[in-house]
Amino acid sequence: MTFKILITLSILLSFSACKKTQDTEVEIEIEETTSQNLSEKNIAQLKYVEYALDVKTEKAIEDWAEYFQLETHINNVKKGDLGFFYDNDKNIKTLLRDLKKDIPEAVNSDATLARISALETHLYKLKSLANLESTSKDELLLTIKDFLISFSNFNFQMNQKIEADGINIAKP
């Protein structure tokens, strides 16, 4: 009887010792994949269509300070600088509120406001993931790509609005 108990205890002890070794390996893997050291080169390798502002659109929004402030932060993100997203809740909320409030009449449309909302969503997602230590580099790069695409789509929509307003169709 004692022999069976000793065998059972030795088997349990060997299983528990093996399991501890596996847990250690998993922790090491997690530590290696959570590195967030981003460089300008990493972000430059992201593939997406980037729309620039048309000359007419630039002229229409030349007094829109919030847009140019946002553009500055976008350029910093492209350089790998995510400093704007760390403990900056008040400034982010103020920027987004003023961006919507002070939109120039020439580019003000429901579609443009929808692009601003999409941009806002991606900005908050990037802010969340940038502040988490457990975010992997690949996940952060994918979120940055989505954020940059939303800004590019915002530019495209403003260009479309100015172009559509410039079309004069003769009515019979």
Side-chain angles (χ1 to χ4, degrees):
M1 182 76 159
T2 45
F3 183 69
K4 288 182 181 180
I5 294 174
L6 287 175
I7 290 177
T8 307
L9 286 176
S10 64
I11 291 173
L12 288 175
L13 185 62
S14 64
F15 281 132
S16 65
C18 292
K19 189 171 186 171
K20 287 181 183 176
T21 306
Q22 292 173 349
D23 290 342
T24 307
E25 291 175 9
V26 171
E27 289 175 13
I28 292 171
E29 290 176 19
I30 291 172
E31 289 175 14
E32 291 174 0
T33 60
T34 59
S35 176
Q36 291 184 8
N37 296 328
L38 294 176
S39 67
E40 188 173 355
K41 183 179 179 183
N42 295 130
I43 296 171
Q45 291 176 345
L46 297 174
K47 303 281 188 234
Y48 68 99
V49 177
E50 185 173 2
Y51 295 103
L53 289 178
D54 188 58
V55 175
K56 293 177 186 176
T57 308
E58 285 180 357
K59 192 170 207 155
I61 67 166
E62 66 188 358
D63 295 330
W64 195 12
E66 292 80 13
Y67 173 83
F68 293 105
Q69 183 180 0
L70 177 64
E71 188 176 45
T72 301
H73 296 304
I74 295 288
N75 290 332
N76 288 341
V77 168
K78 288 179 182 178
K79 294 176 185 172
D81 178 15
L82 301 178
F84 176 67
F85 300 101
Y86 301 124
D87 298 325
N88 203 6
D89 292 335
K90 185 178 178 183
N91 290 338
I92 290 172
K93 287 179 184 178
T94 303
L95 174 65
L96 292 171
R97 183 188 67 231
D98 292 345
L99 186 70
K100 291 177 189 176
K101 184 179 76 172
D102 298 335
I103 189 167
E105 201 56 41
V107 293
N108 194 356
S109 70
D110 290 338
T112 304
L113 290 172
R115 296 308 185 280
I116 292 174
S117 294
L119 178 67
E120 180 179 7
T121 300
H122 289 288
L123 187 143
Y124 280 124
K125 184 178 179 183
L126 178 57
K127 178 187 171 302
S128 310
L129 291 178
N131 285 308
L132 287 176
E133 291 181 15
S134 61
T135 305
S136 70
K137 186 175 182 178
D138 291 336
E139 187 177 17
L140 192 58
L141 282 170
L142 183 60
T143 305
I144 289 171
K145 179 180 178 180
D146 291 341
F147 177 62
L148 295 174
I149 289 171
S150 67
F151 182 71
S152 180
N153 289 339
F154 175 49
N155 286 340
F156 178 72
Q157 186 59 48
M158 288 191 298
N159 288 339
Q160 291 292 99
K161 171 74 168 111
I162 295 295
E163 184 180 332
D165 288 348
I167 298 174
N168 292 326
I169 300 174
K171 296 181 181 177

